[in-house]
Amino acid sequence: MTRKLLFIVLGLFTLTGAWAQAAAQSYGKAERRDPIFLRFPAMAERFWVNTETMAASHKSVAVPMPKQCAFVYADTYTRNQMSEREVQDMALSNCNAKLGQLGPLGENYGINCQCKVVISDGVYVVPRETLPDQAYGPTSIFYRDDRGNIARLNGVARYGALIGRDRSVTFSVDNPRGETVCEGTFTNEGPQSGRFSLNCFNGKFAGNGSYESRIGNPNDHIIARGQTGRGQPVTMVIGLPSQLAASTYGGL
């Protein structure tokens, strides 16, 4: 009898511990000023402002993860009889489709980017610390060397999420091995444009010029064009995988 009582008590402690652990893993409600909404203004508009999508019975957001990969998104809203799980699956499918359409990421990332549902019905379903606290995007830098040949540097950029709002935003570029190879600054001069400066390989390569933020077609991205310190053309693309960036802008 005593042994049975002991097992019952131990079982209750185990259940209590499991409940406490589940409560500790509550990831909290999404907020309007969270970095993920600052990163994607169009998504924020639908999620927080548009009356039709705000009133949706279920809404889900999916982005590629881990956080260095979060440069596209898919948000899904419904008023009909779809369940929350079905809306999550739709957001995930749409995210995977967008990611696949942009082409391979192996030249930019040393990690495997996979879409994941991160917000469902206004609540985070992944730990907050795993979400991007900055903006990230695959990056390609094209420039002419001293012999006139086109060279290319691929990697991933991280920068402040408020380009176009903050007066000045710093950024850095890591190569696929995760090593920081470039640093620079975007200086805002208009809603979608401004100036940029770029310094790579500890000053061995630098450039400056103007940038423009382009929405969609095929993905939101930044195109920056200018000259190196030796007067050669340089182009930087943030937000498109390297193969797509090369076919679109690689000719300088």
Side-chain angles (χ1 to χ4, degrees):
M1 186 68 179
T2 303
R3 177 175 289 185
K4 287 184 178 180
L5 182 61
L6 179 61
F7 281 131
I8 292 173
V9 171
L10 288 174
L12 288 174
F13 274 121
T14 302
L15 287 175
T16 302
W19 291 332
Q21 184 178 8
Q25 289 178 346
S26 176
Y27 304 131
K29 292 183 178 180
E31 302 291 343
R32 174 67 179 85
R33 300 294 295 178
D34 288 346
I36 192 169
F37 293 106
L38 298 179
R39 172 66 179 90
F40 301 114
M43 182 180 76
E45 180 78 12
R46 284 190 293 273
F47 203 96
W48 300 106
V49 179
N50 185 292
T51 55
E52 182 177 356
T53 49
M54 277 185 63
S57 56
H58 296 295
K59 48 188 178 181
S60 293
V61 175
V63 297
M65 294 289 278
K67 61 184 179 181
Q68 298 93 324
C69 300
F71 70 100
V72 300
Y73 70 92
D75 52 344
T76 301
Y77 307 86
T78 183
R79 282 178 175 272
N80 57 26
Q81 299 302 312
M82 292 178 67
S83 67
E84 181 182 3
R85 179 57 183 272
E86 288 173 324
V87 176
Q88 290 179 355
D89 290 344
M90 182 179 292
L92 188 63
S93 176
N94 291 342
C95 179
N96 283 321
K98 287 186 177 182
L99 198 61
Q101 289 169 359
L102 294 176
L105 285 163
E107 294 183 41
N108 298 97
Y109 289 93
I111 54 180
N112 185 25
C113 297
Q114 294 184 323
C115 286
K116 189 170 185 178
V117 174
V118 297
I119 300 173
S120 182
D121 288 355
V123 176
Y124 287 108
V125 293
V126 297
R128 282 178 176 268
E129 61 270 19
T130 66
L131 291 164
D133 51 0
Q134 300 183 76
Y136 294 85
T139 303
S140 296
I141 300 173
F142 308 94
Y143 61 96
R144 290 194 182 275
D145 59 24
D146 293 337
R147 297 181 180 180
N149 299 316
I150 297 179
R152 181 172 69 176
L153 171 64
N154 298 323
V156 56
R158 63 180 185 273
Y159 53 96
L162 294 178
I163 290 180
R165 299 184 189 180
D166 289 357
R167 171 61 178 167
S168 180
V169 173
T170 59
F171 67 91
S172 61
V173 178
D174 295 351
N175 64 23
R177 296 187 298 275
E179 302 163 337
T180 300
V181 292
C182 300
E183 295 181 340
T185 302
F186 292 111
T187 303
N188 177 37
E189 293 182 342
Q192 302 290 336
S193 62
R195 306 288 300 175
F196 82 96
S197 62
L198 179 69
N199 189 306
C200 302
F201 307 115
N202 296 318
K204 294 180 180 179
F205 169 77
N208 61 79
S210 60
Y211 80 86
E212 176 186 358
S213 296
R214 297 189 175 177
I215 307 301
N217 296 322
N219 186 51
D220 295 356
H221 63 283
I222 296 169
I223 172 66
R225 290 189 172 97
Q227 291 186 329
T228 67
R230 298 186 179 184
Q232 296 287 353
V234 58
T235 297
M236 178 173 63
V237 184
I238 300 177
L240 301 180
S242 60
Q243 289 187 20
L244 183 56
S247 64
T248 308
Y249 299 107
L252 296 178

